[in-house]
Amino acid sequence: MIEVFQNRGKARGKVKMPAYLTMAICFIWLFTALFADQLANELPLTCKIDGQRHFPAFRETLSKVSGQSSPRIYYLGKKEEMESVVRAPIPYSPQTIDRANAGYISPLGPQNISSQRYRHWLGTDGMGRDVLAGLIHGSRVALIIGLLSVLAAMLVGVLFGAAAGFFGDQSWRLNILEIAGGTIILTVGLYLLYLQLDCGGSWLYLSGWLLASTALVYLWSSTVKTSMRAALLRLGLSGTMGIPLDLILLRLIEIFRAVPSLFILLALLAIIESPGILQMSLIISLLMWPAFARYTRAEFLSLREQEFVQAAQLLRRSKNYIIFREIMPLAIPPIAVAAAFGVSSAILAESTLSFLGIGFSVEQVSWGSMLNEARLYFRAWWLAVFPGIAIFAVILSMNSLGDYISRQKSTGIKMVD
Amino acid sequence: MRNYLLKRVLLFLPTLFVISLVVFFLSKIIPGDPAERLTGILSIEGEEHFDLGAMTNYQRTYRHLGLDRPLFYFSVHPRAREAHFRDIERPAIRKNIKQLMYETGQVDLVRSYFEAGKALSRDIQFQLDECDTAVFWSDFEHQFNRAGSKAAVAEITNNALLFMPAEKCSFHPSVKDVVKYGNEITSAKRPFGWWIPKLSWHGTQNQYHHWLAGIFSGDWGYSLRDGRSVGSKIRNSIGYTLSISFFSLLLTFAAGIPLGMYLATTKRKRCKELLRTVVYALYAVPLFWLATLLVVFFTTEEYGKWTNLFPSPSQIMLHTMDGDASFFQGMSYLLLPVLCLASGGVAFVARQMEQTALRESASRYIAMSRLKGNSEVVTIWRHLFPNAVFPLITLLGTLIPGLISGSVVIEVIFNIPGMGRLMWDSIFGQDWNVVFAILFIGAILTLVGQLIADILYTRANPKVRYD
């Protein structure tokens, strides 16, 4: 599932999807993801309880954003006392169990409902949950997974790839003392971390120790660079060593390619019991960062030989300046292409995992988990068709977005030439 | 070139080493106990009272699988605790001992306490009837196994003093031992410097070494689930995967290359646009969705008689198990999976082919060929085609590992007992011997495939040189 992503960027054909279609899909996707709670909700949009006006569906969104407990149970208990109720367009939440319509009710056939307002437009699943409500809320899951995992993968991949591409194996040179001190500090930090975990300390310590030791390494290297330079020269300890960044990156990429992503996914998913959306995106991004690193590295490799970089070096611009201000702007378009394809492959990965039944816990509705149910009962074609169309449409639009950016990129480069 | 190859092959070794480490330690982190699974004892951790036979059986399996050995050649650990506690079978007790060692910092003392406790529980178990004692002693093992802190130890010691059995009672000496060590533990103070790291060397008697040695000597071990040898399991399933991948690869190239060439050279606009849209859509279709749709609509009679075109996935397993499927029957089983697997590939190859063909057709030798008066067929197939198709050949190298390891999704959906399915089942069944073997074969093939791809690339494009 992730491997597909590795080849994606290569196949940029001239085939176009109409731009309006791409835009339409993206907008619908964004809209349903943002307003999922208002579009499909068992709780009314607004109602009166004891003469006071309430906005249950909006309060639910608010509680999700602020991390408070959901007002769902409170309002479901007050169902009888509600007056002047305005319901959501789809009066079902994805987890609402409509017992009267349980057992795979077709969208075309008769349904056991009081009025057309309560119709299950896309049918129900075995437990009587509304498929359309699931689709709408699944779009939110897909959006968060796609964006989060690509952002995380980009952060690591782009930085590492840029450093490896720009410095290669030799040109990032550090003083020997700097390296020695840094290694010792990092080792001590890792040991302390291990100690914390072994004693049964919390994971909070982990990030704390890592941060602390990174800060110490940074402090050490800056001390060596500034205040100790003269002393070092006098002692004859001014020797430097190149850090083989490129070699390390290439080996890492090789390793990630050689170990099947399914194994890594299964192992990590087994360690983290019942992963949430955040954990899931981080796991997926762990598998995606090598691709970003590869693209960025290739781009930096070719760009660093260009004249404008040499000019900047002659002008004694700092390395940070050259990497982030001179080269990065030109490397952004290919990275953006990779990001667009990355979103689609992250969604694909998540839905494949949920489809195989190893993704989220059962309560979390996603497009893949809905498709999974289609395998249980073949007659329920609506469970096989609609979630699939949603995934397909989103992937299609992301791919064509990537194609679009890559075409822009080629014209952009021509202008620079 | 030769130097480059040598360097690449030499770089394989550290990569393979790191991969072996990653795979090994990931498998160790995954919760679950293979010995537990093999003996059928459910949750050693939760339950305290086992019958003796089951426990002995478990212990024997535990040792037989080598789980009592340390994980790696060495370990770094704080001075306050031992390097590992793998000689103790039960995870709960392991955790308690570690906790106590951290609290007291006395490695030997905690060990002797636990030895004494174990001896006492054994004595009680065998000799409880002989002397008249308190209920506390019949429940002693249960309490002792939960002693994971100084406070708990103090409580046990107090109770033991309170219900001290008579001198004549056969387990009196053991009780004295427990009380003695227990008192020492409760009064022990953690010495300064308990956190100082200590390096313990375990030698070659460790799990990683045994596993690696097994792999290199060709002894892949036995499946932890059904006791069959790993080699035979892989041999059984590799046939299905190979045939599916072979046919789908064949279909991919046989359909994708002409399609791409057609798209690049045809003058019929309508047809081209239509085909391109289809190819573009096919490229984005999720594999598992396509497979699900095909299974849902075309393998049953749910949607009318004529839609039952293919055998249903549940039959495949049955027939292949019996081995009575004829050649044509076998082919009909493979048809759907092959179609699914090839669909994405066809789109990819067609797009790639179209692109390279378009790029090549702009070059001068094509114009030259036309100027010479060659017919369009000769120009396209003699001059354009060989140059355009060459980059695709390099793809073959990267496809090699996929040929063997198969597609998990397809094999799970269509119920094909191939390599992907075997891997899937083995990971869930914690059948590590099988998982390791498949992963290792896959890793080596991936590395070799990449090398082949690089070599083919230099052959296809003489401008590229590795020095």
Side-chain angles (χ1 to χ4, degrees):
Chain A
M1 48 203 100
I2 298 294
E3 283 85 351
V4 183
F5 177 49
Q6 313 267 358
N7 294 325
R8 278 277 162 84
K10 286 184 204 159
R12 290 176 208 138
K14 299 225 161 179
V15 198
K16 286 172 232 162
M17 196 166 103
Y20 65 86
L21 201 59
T22 310
M23 294 283 277
I25 293 172
C26 283
F27 274 121
I28 294 174
W29 184 26
L30 269 179
F31 184 75
T32 51
L34 281 177
F35 299 106
D37 288 331
Q38 284 73 44
L39 285 172
N41 205 329
E42 193 178 4
L43 305 178
L45 291 175
T46 171
C47 64
K48 266 187 180 163
I49 300 174
D50 299 337
Q52 264 196 320
R53 190 146 284 286
H54 284 252
F55 299 93
F58 293 93
R59 276 208 39 200
E60 200 184 6
T61 314
L62 205 68
S63 75
K64 277 179 194 164
V65 174
S66 60
Q68 290 162 344
S69 60
S70 169
R72 168 168 293 271
I73 295 164
Y74 170 77
Y75 283 118
L76 285 182
K78 297 263 180 188
K79 225 172 186 174
E80 305 300 316
E81 299 157 36
M82 289 178 182
E83 290 164 347
S84 68
V85 175
V86 179
R87 293 205 173 276
I90 314 296
Y92 298 103
S93 298
Q95 62 268 49
T96 314
I97 292 171
D98 182 3
R99 285 206 184 76
N101 286 304
Y104 306 103
I105 299 299
S106 165
L108 303 176
Q111 296 182 347
N112 189 6
I113 42 177
S114 51
S115 77
Q116 285 299 310
R117 186 76 180 76
Y118 287 92
R119 196 171 171 79
H120 297 279
W121 294 105
L122 297 184
T124 64
D125 68 358
M127 286 161 72
R129 294 178 297 190
D130 190 63
V131 172
L132 185 53
L135 275 190
I136 289 172
H137 283 260
S139 72
R140 177 180 276 177
V141 176
L143 184 75
I144 296 175
I145 289 273
L147 291 185
L148 262 187
S149 52
V150 165
L151 277 181
M154 248 165 75
L155 190 72
V156 178
V158 168
L159 284 182
F160 202 167
F166 183 75
F167 290 114
D169 279 342
Q170 283 302 321
S171 42
W172 191 35
R173 307 195 72 81
L174 289 179
N175 189 285
I176 291 173
L177 270 188
E178 229 175 346
I179 294 175
T183 318
I184 291 171
I185 294 169
L186 263 181
T187 320
V188 170
L190 280 178
Y191 174 72
L192 289 176
L193 175 90
Y194 156 77
L195 205 60
Q196 282 299 333
L197 287 178
D198 202 46
C199 286
S202 74
W203 282 86
L204 206 67
Y205 285 103
L206 189 148
S207 40
W209 282 117
L210 272 185
L211 275 181
S213 45
T214 325
L216 275 173
V217 168
Y218 187 75
L219 269 180
W220 173 256
S221 76
S222 50
T223 320
V224 169
K225 263 188 199 138
T226 51
S227 57
M228 289 165 72
R229 171 156 288 170
L232 285 176
L233 275 175
R234 212 170 299 144
L235 285 169
L237 276 174
S238 56
T240 56
M241 215 172 93
I243 308 282
L245 278 178
D246 203 32
L247 188 86
I248 296 172
L249 178 66
L250 288 181
R251 287 321 109 203
L252 272 179
I253 290 176
E254 212 169 71
I255 289 166
F256 267 92
R257 255 202 206 161
V259 182
S261 47
L262 180 82
F263 175 71
I264 301 180
L265 282 172
L266 281 181
L268 292 178
L269 287 173
I271 297 163
I272 304 169
E273 296 139 19
S274 67
I277 294 181
L278 183 70
Q279 285 101 320
M280 194 66 152
S281 348
L282 285 182
I283 290 174
I284 291 174
S285 71
L286 185 73
L287 295 170
M288 283 206 312
W289 76 263
F292 282 101
R294 223 157 47 95
Y295 286 129
T296 318
R297 174 183 169 270
E299 213 55 40
F300 267 70
L301 265 184
S302 65
L303 284 173
R304 75 166 182 199
E305 304 296 335
Q306 306 251 327
E307 278 133 10
F308 68 92
V309 177
Q310 287 163 359
Q313 271 162 347
L314 281 177
L315 284 172
R316 295 233 158 215
R317 292 288 197 193
S318 73
K319 288 195 169 121
N320 274 342
Y321 185 90
I322 297 175
I323 292 177
F324 290 108
R325 304 291 289 276
E326 299 272 355
I327 305 183
M328 198 59 102
L330 286 177
I332 281 177
I335 296 171
V337 174
F341 286 116
V343 171
S344 73
S345 63
I347 291 170
L348 193 63
E350 187 277 316
S351 52
T352 309
L353 285 177
S354 300
F355 174 75
L356 291 171
I358 49 176
F360 294 121
S361 51
V362 189
E363 300 90 55
Q364 182 76 57
V365 178
S366 84
W367 291 339
S369 66
M370 293 170 82
L371 266 174
N372 184 22
E373 261 192 84
R375 285 164 66 207
L376 303 178
Y377 188 67
F378 282 0
R379 193 176 270 276
W381 55 268
W382 52 95
L383 279 175
V385 173
F386 298 122
I389 288 178
I391 300 172
F392 177 54
V394 163
I395 288 177
L396 203 61
S397 72
M398 280 295 113
N399 284 0
S400 75
L401 192 68
D403 283 342
Y404 179 73
I405 304 170
S406 78
R407 278 200 300 278
Q408 295 301 103
K409 169 214 157 190
S410 55
T411 53
I413 291 287
K414 258 176 211 152
M415 283 194 296
V416 171
D417 284 349
Chain B
M1 186 70 190
R2 187 169 299 160
N3 283 343
Y4 172 77
L5 282 186
L6 201 68
K7 193 181 148 203
R8 279 293 294 268
V9 172
L10 279 180
L11 274 175
F12 276 2
L13 295 177
T15 311
L16 268 182
F17 173 67
V18 175
I19 289 173
S20 75
L21 281 182
V22 168
V23 167
F24 180 76
F25 282 99
L26 266 182
S27 80
K28 287 292 161 196
I29 294 174
I30 295 178
D33 185 351
E36 218 172 76
R37 231 162 227 277
L38 207 58
T39 47
I41 294 178
L42 287 177
S43 182
I44 264 273
E45 195 149 4
E47 196 51 53
E48 308 289 338
H49 295 291
F50 286 110
D51 67 297
L52 210 59
M55 199 59 213
T56 334
N57 190 12
Y58 174 81
Q59 283 169 348
R60 203 183 300 133
T61 321
Y62 185 87
R63 271 163 219 289
H64 179 72
L65 291 176
L67 295 176
D68 55 333
R69 297 195 189 109
L71 284 184
F72 201 55
Y73 295 99
F74 62 88
S75 48
V76 179
H77 56 96
R79 242 173 32 179
R81 77 169 181 83
E82 279 177 24
H84 71 99
F85 310 94
R86 286 177 188 279
D87 52 316
I88 299 157
E89 293 91 1
R90 297 171 67 170
I93 302 181
R94 273 204 293 258
K95 216 163 91 192
N96 289 343
I97 291 190
K98 193 163 89 177
Q99 216 60 45
L100 268 181
M101 282 188 186
Y102 268 125
E103 264 189 49
T104 59
Q106 314 271 346
V107 175
D108 297 329
L109 180 61
V110 175
R111 269 285 173 179
S112 343
Y113 177 67
F114 269 84
E115 288 307 321
K118 222 165 110 185
L120 177 54
S121 341
R122 202 171 41 235
D123 288 351
I124 293 173
Q125 201 158 23
F126 286 121
Q127 299 161 353
L128 193 58
D129 317 329
E130 285 178 18
C131 44
D132 176 41
T133 42
V135 189
F136 169 71
W137 294 113
S138 62
D139 196 38
F140 173 76
E141 190 175 1
H142 181 82
Q143 294 218 9
F144 182 73
N145 286 345
R146 292 188 168 195
S149 65
K150 260 188 190 178
V153 172
E155 200 190 325
I156 288 180
T157 318
N158 283 341
N159 278 331
L161 281 174
L162 201 65
F163 301 112
M164 185 62 102
E167 293 259 349
K168 67 173 196 318
C169 198
S170 60
F171 62 87
H172 180 79
S174 326
V175 174
K176 277 199 137 173
D177 275 353
V178 167
V179 168
K180 188 183 103 195
Y181 292 128
N183 275 333
E184 279 180 44
I185 282 182
T186 30
S187 60
K189 286 232 158 49
R190 192 161 67 177
F192 178 76
W194 61 273
W195 41 266
I196 292 174
K198 190 174 153 192
L199 184 87
S200 301
W201 183 255
H202 304 307
T204 55
Q205 283 299 314
N206 62 67
Q207 294 186 33
Y208 177 77
H209 182 86
H210 269 253
W211 166 61
L212 213 61
I215 279 189
F216 280 117
S217 66
D219 171 22
W220 298 68
Y222 291 87
S223 163
L224 300 179
R225 286 166 77 217
D226 50 15
R228 285 161 61 202
S229 82
V230 172
S232 83
K233 274 196 114 157
I234 289 179
R235 236 173 287 127
N236 274 350
S237 36
I238 208 164
Y240 300 103
T241 300
L242 268 182
S243 45
I244 291 176
S245 349
F246 175 74
F247 285 119
S248 72
L249 201 64
L250 203 68
L251 188 61
T252 301
F253 280 89
I257 289 177
L259 189 59
M261 285 301 283
Y262 179 77
L263 284 175
T265 55
T266 185
K267 304 234 156 37
R268 293 157 77 182
K269 264 207 161 148
R270 273 274 171 71
C271 189
K272 188 153 75 176
E273 283 308 308
L274 187 74
L275 271 179
R276 274 182 173 165
T277 315
V278 170
V279 166
Y280 196 83
L282 209 58
Y283 189 61
V285 171
L287 184 64
F288 69 95
W289 184 44
L290 188 68
T292 313
L293 283 185
L294 288 175
V295 167
V296 166
F297 285 113
F298 296 114
T299 62
T300 57
E301 286 189 6
E302 298 277 1
Y303 301 97
K305 263 230 145 51
W306 64 273
T307 57
N308 189 13
L309 298 173
F310 301 99
S312 89
S314 51
Q315 289 171 349
I316 296 179
M317 201 72 156
L318 281 177
H319 280 261
T320 46
M321 288 292 225
D322 297 343
D324 63 351
S326 68
F327 178 74
F328 285 104
Q329 224 173 349
M331 290 308 286
S332 76
Y333 292 149
L334 291 187
L335 202 54
L336 273 189
V338 166
L339 275 180
C340 283
L341 265 184
S343 68
V346 169
F348 180 70
V349 169
R351 292 184 77 181
Q352 196 89 341
M353 188 73 216
E354 185 195 353
Q355 241 184 320
T356 47
L358 282 176
R359 202 166 50 222
E360 290 294 319
S361 62
S363 48
R364 288 189 191 150
Y365 65 85
I366 299 296
M368 185 66 204
S369 162
R370 291 214 172 97
L371 281 177
K372 266 165 68 182
N374 281 340
S375 71
E376 199 65 1
V377 176
V378 171
T379 309
I380 290 173
W381 293 105
R382 269 293 302 283
H383 296 280
L384 177 63
F385 179 69
N387 284 306
V389 85
F390 231 62
L392 278 179
I393 295 173
T394 59
L395 263 181
L396 279 173
T398 52
L399 290 175
I400 290 175
L403 276 179
I404 307 286
S405 58
S407 161
V408 174
V409 178
I410 288 294
E411 289 182 7
V412 167
I413 294 175
F414 288 101
N415 246 329
I416 299 160
M419 293 288 278
R421 177 90 204 196
L422 181 64
M423 164 107 163
W424 174 258
D425 289 342
S426 307
I427 291 180
F428 276 107
Q430 307 202 327
D431 195 349
W432 295 122
N433 287 346
V434 180
V435 175
F436 286 150
I438 299 176
L439 286 179
F440 225 67
I441 296 173
I444 290 174
L445 281 174
T446 313
L447 296 181
V448 171
Q450 263 170 32
L451 195 62
I452 291 176
D454 283 353
I455 295 168
L456 282 177
Y457 194 60
T458 53
R459 288 271 169 281
N461 189 354
K463 275 186 262 176
V464 177
R465 265 163 199 265
Y466 299 111
D467 292 317

